[in-house]
Amino acid sequence: MTLPDRIPTRTLWEYLQEQPPEPALLDGLLWPGAVTLLVAVSSAGKTTLTHRMAACLASGQPFLGIHPPRSLRVLSIDLESPRAAKEQLLEAIPPVDGWDTTNIGITGTAAREVLDASEGDAVIIVDNLQLTRPVNDEQDNAAAMSQIEWFKVRAQAKNAAILLTFNAGKEDEEHPKGERHIHLARGASARVDTADVVLNLVEKGPDNQFTLYVVKSRFGNRGEFVVYKWAGLYDYHVVRHHRPGAGTREWAKAQLQTLALAGPFKRAQAIAAIPNVSARTIDTGLKELVEAGTLSTPIYGTYKSTL
């Protein structure tokens, strides 16, 4: 695998001006070049959730009410599920164009080779971390950091979002059941420290409701959560989606970029299309996107995507 050239510190600002950061692939959850760690207790539904996510991203459909910017190429690597369970899951959630499931059922060594050889995949889902790149002692911070860094190097080199699943440790006794920090990744803390985004999947209440919490994020949306309820065998519906105020502007910018992909729009259309966000936040987002070159104004008052 060819790694990117080192960027001299003195020119980093100029580089960022020439190459503005890309928008999220799944706002708040998946970003190009970043590693997301999805943590939950065993049998909480991580595999089902990630399969549903992959199918939605590949087909350009919303996942948990969040719209991807376009149809994305997705690679799934599932080392955990037995073959019968995989067949049942793929029958319920059939593969679509752009979603590669051919590598389901391989070994950890082969999975690393497949990941290294992948080209053009926007999202790579690995279920799970410990089986794909095992460490002898999960309590070892140096090993935990190296474990995540291996994926971060590849995420950045491929400009792909990598989602890793991992099992939770014991229940956090400092928080009553149902709160957002009830489950933490087991083992060394460096695993969570090194990841770019950490999600906790928590069962909430006896009525089949689950909550996906953003407990860590380098993108300003820590504290965001989605409550959803499984419907039928492998489907769901969203009960509630909460976004913290600190991440509102970045979230609004992502929504503006999604809106622009559908065609040119005016400020009033943006304000109407993005609820619960002030006009001032919309104006700031439009200004920053134009300055970054992501949006253009070919006609005064009209905004158009440059992507």
Side-chain angles (χ1 to χ4, degrees), residues 267-291:
R267 174 180 179 271
Q269 292 174 294
I271 293 173
I274 306 176
N276 303 320
V277 175
S278 68
R280 181 177 180 179
T281 300
I282 296 293
D283 289 338
T284 300
L286 290 170
K287 179 176 180 293
E288 291 180 357
L289 290 172
V290 170
E291 291 176 348

Side-chain angles (χ1 to χ4, degrees), residues 87-106:
E87 291 176 352
Q88 184 180 22
L89 188 55
L90 289 172
E91 183 177 349
I93 308 174
V96 297
D97 290 342
W99 178 20
D100 182 2
T101 63
T102 58
N103 298 295
I104 287 178
I106 57 180

